[in-house]
């Protein structure tokens, strides 16, 4: 069992009983009593309101509740960094959800961990997606999740315009641009389409099922095989 999982279970055991001895906790967690003493001390140091001492028993301080997840200082900083880097490159809806989720996580951190996360000297200035590309990303992301076919107009790097019907498989970010990985029914093969080269698109009512040879894992296997050649 990972230590993080053990700590979580320890908290749940303590909060669920009026008093829990170290022996009881050690038996339930299948560890030594010495490990329980160390884990409780670490949790108390992180701000978890566990009262009691070795030889007596432990209980959760009255009036306190804990979130189902706990994060270390480093984990909290990693989450903040991830959202800061990702937000400028997401569609508006997903970016808002990411910020809201991060706010909930940061809001329940111990004071020291919250201060370290919010004050982290890591910024990610970037040119955000233009409004049209953000909207395309939102529509294509939702169409992918719903397994709905899409008719799109596309202009390739040479300026040639085509119309395609595709099965959207994944939206892929390359650091400079978003692309749509898809099974192109017009070409009967996998294709990638840059979102900033899609002047128009229409999500169709027709849904598609995963079919052998036309799924995202099939595409990834082909890419892997091509790299090994």
């Amino acid at each position: 069992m990972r230590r993080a999982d053990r700590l979580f279970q320890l908290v749940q055991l303590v909060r669920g009983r009026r008093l829990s001895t170290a022996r009881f906790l050690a038996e339930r967690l299948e560890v030594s009593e010495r490990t329980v003493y160390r884990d409780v001390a670490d949790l108390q140091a992180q701000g978890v309101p566990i009262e009691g001492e070795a030889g007596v028993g432990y209980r959760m301080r009255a009036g306190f509740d804990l979130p189902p997840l706990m994060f270390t200082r480093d984990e909290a900083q990693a989450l903040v960094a991830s959202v800061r880097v990702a937000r400028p490159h997401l569609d508006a809806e997903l970016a808002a959800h990411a910020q809201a989720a991060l706010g909930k996580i940061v809001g329940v951190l111990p004071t020291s961990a919250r201060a370290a996360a919010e004050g982290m000297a890591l910024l990610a200035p970037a040119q955000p997606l233009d409004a049209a590309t953000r909207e395309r990303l939102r529509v294509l992301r939702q169409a992918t999740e719903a397994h709905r076919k899409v008719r799109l107009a596309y202009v390739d790097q040479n300026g040639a315009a085509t119309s395609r019907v595709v099965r959207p498989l994944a939206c892929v970010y390359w650091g400079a641009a978003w692309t749509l990985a898809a099974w192109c029914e017009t070409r009967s093969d996998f294709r990638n389409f840059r979102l900033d080269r899609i002047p128009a698109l229409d999500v169709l009512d027709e849904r598609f099922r995963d079919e052998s040879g036309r799924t995202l894992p099939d595409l990834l296997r082909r890419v892997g095989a091509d790299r090994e050649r």
Side-chain angles (χ1 to χ4, degrees), residues 57-104:
Y58 301 100
R59 66 180 182 181
M60 197 68 67
R61 189 184 309 159
F64 282 85
D65 198 7
L66 295 177
L69 294 177
M70 291 168 39
F71 298 94
T72 66
R73 169 182 170 140
D74 290 340
E75 290 169 341
Q77 288 184 322
L79 288 169
V80 171
S82 299
V83 173
R84 286 182 181 176
V85 171
R87 281 191 65 210
H89 309 292
L90 300 174
D91 61 74
E93 180 179 309
L94 198 58
H97 290 322
Q99 188 61 38
L102 181 62
K104 291 179 180 179

Side-chain angles (χ1 to χ4, degrees), residues 38-148:
R38 184 175 63 250
D39 287 348
V40 169
D42 289 344
L43 288 168
Q44 290 172 329
Q46 293 179 38
V48 179
I50 296 177
E51 297 179 330
E53 57 184 307
V56 178
Y58 301 100
R59 66 180 182 181
M60 197 68 67
R61 189 184 309 159
F64 282 85
D65 198 7
L66 295 177
L69 294 177
M70 291 168 39
F71 298 94
T72 66
R73 169 182 170 140
D74 290 340
E75 290 169 341
Q77 288 184 322
L79 288 169
V80 171
S82 299
V83 173
R84 286 182 181 176
V85 171
R87 281 191 65 210
H89 309 292
L90 300 174
D91 61 74
E93 180 179 309
L94 198 58
H97 290 322
Q99 188 61 38
L102 181 62
K104 291 179 180 179
I105 292 170
V106 172
V108 297
L109 291 174
T111 302
S112 60
R114 182 168 64 249
E118 293 178 333
M120 182 176 50
L122 188 153
L123 303 177
Q127 182 66 33
L129 294 179
D130 61 87
T133 302
R134 278 182 181 268
E135 180 60 14
R136 292 187 201 105
L137 177 59
R138 182 190 67 81
V139 172
L140 291 171
R141 176 174 60 82
Q142 293 178 347
T144 301
E145 294 172 356
H147 277 56
R148 293 177 62 181

Side-chain angles (χ1 to χ4, degrees), residues 8-41:
F8 176 73
Q9 289 192 26
L10 192 157
V11 169
Q12 301 309 309
L13 289 170
V14 172
R15 74 192 297 190
R17 292 167 55 89
R18 187 172 63 85
L19 191 68
S20 299
T21 65
R23 175 177 294 181
F24 167 81
L25 295 171
E27 290 176 351
R28 291 294 299 273
L29 297 171
E30 298 182 345
V31 297
S32 67
E33 291 185 33
R34 178 172 295 182
T35 297
V36 170
Y37 298 148
R38 184 175 63 250
D39 287 348
V40 169

Side-chain angles (χ1 to χ4, degrees), residues 134-153 163-168 171 180 198-208:
R134 278 182 181 268
E135 180 60 14
R136 292 187 201 105
L137 177 59
R138 182 190 67 81
V139 172
L140 291 171
R141 176 174 60 82
Q142 293 178 347
T144 301
E145 294 172 356
H147 277 56
R148 293 177 62 181
K149 294 183 181 181
V150 176
R151 178 181 291 108
L152 55 85
S163 177
R164 313 287 186 95
V165 173
V166 304
R167 301 182 180 193
C171 294
L180 174 69
I198 301 176
L201 62 87
D202 182 29
V203 179
L204 306 179
D205 292 332
E206 184 180 359
R207 297 178 183 271
F208 63 90

